[in-house]
Amino acid sequence: MSGKMTDVQAQYEKQGYLTSIPILSAEELQQARDAFALLEKELGEDYTSYSLHNVHMEYDWVMALTKHPRVLEVITAVLGPDVILLDSRFICKYPVFKQSPAKTHDSNGITAYNQESEAEKSMSDQNSDPGLPYVAWHQDMKYWGLDGGPVVSVWLALDDSLEDNGALQVIPGTHCSGLLPHRQAKRAGNMLSVNQEIPEELVQKENSVLCPLLAGQMSIHDGLLVHASDPNTSERRRCGFVIRYVPTAAYPIQDPERPRSFPATVVVSGQDKYNYFSKQKPEL
């Protein structure tokens, strides 16, 4: 491992996340955005906001993102050489107030297929709307029935992810605190499929850090890191590709609190001498 990647590993182990990692070239980013725009046109935004789950098994361009050399360079620095792609999902927070579709350009000059707003409401007014989509404070491991190794979650930004359109927020070091209690979220609009949250009194919001990304950049975080994201109060889409990786030594467990199947695993680096996930896959 290079000295740079050793530093990456040490920083990740200490704080539980890394951010603003450059991954996609301008050409690669535009190709991914164009391909995603076709899915939006075909399937509609209601579907593409959260239902494009494990489509790396359907589209070569999505699989290529999960195996991108710059992604795997960071992931193997953190997890070691033998890595399994566990799961993937596109997540999009669309602007709440829209008029006609329009092409815009982000800070990289890349074409985005966004919806523009006519309404000019203040961020505070929009944040107070209880129905705006957000992601509550949580830990990913609450939803993953796994043991034997950590889970690393990736956000690969297809759009700029900034404060006003709901960028990731993390609480550094909380991955060392173990799994915290979760409860049903009290506020409407939680995008988490099981609608859970960590109780407010257990969340040290004063220590939270915003993780803004430019399109084409990546953040990664540990499965036990406490994190969240606010509503998109901008006029721009916030779209990202979430990828989850585990070392091949990790294995699924039967936990009624965390029921989960893993039908779309792929070895993306090294070798899998354990084959713990082979029984999870449907026969072709």
Side-chain angles (χ1 to χ4, degrees):
M1 186 187 301
S2 69
K4 179 181 177 182
M5 287 298 106
T6 301
D7 292 342
V8 163
Q9 182 186 42
Q11 186 179 5
Y12 182 81
E13 289 179 355
K14 179 180 179 180
Q15 63 187 21
Y17 76 99
L18 299 169
T19 191
S20 301
I21 305 166
I23 299 296
L24 300 180
S25 67
E27 181 181 3
E28 290 170 331
L29 176 59
Q30 189 65 67
Q31 289 172 349
R33 276 183 160 169
D34 290 345
F36 190 83
L38 293 176
L39 294 180
E40 283 183 318
K41 183 177 179 180
E42 176 187 352
L43 302 170
E45 292 179 2
D46 285 346
Y47 191 88
T48 56
S49 65
Y50 199 73
S51 298
L52 288 171
H53 184 215
N54 286 333
V55 294
H56 62 272
M57 305 297 284
E58 299 179 47
Y59 303 105
D60 290 343
W61 69 272
V62 181
M63 182 68 83
L65 291 177
T66 71
K67 296 181 178 181
H68 195 289
R70 284 189 284 277
V71 171
L72 293 183
E73 181 183 28
V74 177
I75 295 301
T76 54
V78 170
L79 292 180
D82 301 321
V83 176
I84 288 175
L85 160 62
L86 187 69
D87 188 270
S88 75
R89 185 187 295 272
F90 285 94
I91 298 178
C92 284
K93 288 181 183 175
Y94 290 96
V96 175
F97 299 100
K98 308 172 186 177
Q99 52 178 19
S100 58
K103 289 184 181 180
T104 61
H105 297 272
D106 73 356
S107 56
N108 291 321
I110 303 299
T111 304
Y113 296 80
N114 293 334
Q115 304 288 335
E116 294 300 327
S117 165
E118 288 182 338
E120 294 184 352
K121 299 181 70 176
S122 70
M123 184 179 295
S124 61
D125 286 345
Q126 291 186 30
N127 270 325
S128 67
D129 186 331
L132 290 179
Y134 72 102
V135 176
W137 290 103
H138 69 287
Q139 296 166 299
D140 293 339
M141 282 302 293
K142 177 63 180 177
Y143 314 104
W144 301 94
L146 292 168
D147 210 339
V151 177
V152 174
S153 292
V154 165
W155 180 279
L156 180 58
L158 296 191
D159 299 326
D160 289 351
S161 180
L162 307 174
E163 184 173 10
D164 65 345
N165 68 344
L168 174 71
Q169 300 173 57
V170 303
I171 303 180
T174 49
H175 63 303
C176 299
S177 301
L179 192 61
L180 299 174
H182 288 61
R183 68 183 180 196
Q184 286 294 292
K186 295 182 176 180
R187 175 180 160 200
N190 187 7
M191 293 181 73
L192 293 174
S193 56
V194 292
N195 190 35
Q196 288 198 332
E197 66 180 2
I198 298 172
E200 220 173 280
E201 60 271 16
L202 298 179
V203 178
Q204 299 172 319
K205 290 183 182 179
E206 66 276 10
N207 296 331
S208 66
V209 174
L210 188 74
C211 297
L213 296 173
L214 299 179
Q217 292 183 335
M218 172 180 82
S219 67
I220 69 172
H221 64 265
D222 185 90
L224 286 171
L225 190 76
V226 175
H227 62 288
S229 63
D230 285 335
N232 181 355
T233 60
S234 76
E235 298 179 354
R236 307 180 315 280
R237 185 187 71 179
R238 172 185 175 258
C239 184
F241 184 39
V242 175
I243 321 167
R244 293 188 170 94
Y245 298 97
V246 294
T248 57
Y251 52 88
I253 58 174
Q254 296 300 315
D255 185 346
E257 296 264 328
R258 297 183 292 168
R260 196 83 189 203
S261 61
F262 304 98
T265 58
V266 179
V267 178
V268 292
S269 177
Q271 296 181 334
D272 181 10
K273 64 182 181 181
Y274 302 101
N275 295 311
Y276 289 138
F277 292 92
S278 59
K279 295 180 181 178
Q280 298 263 321
K281 292 186 176 182
E283 293 187 9
L284 301 178

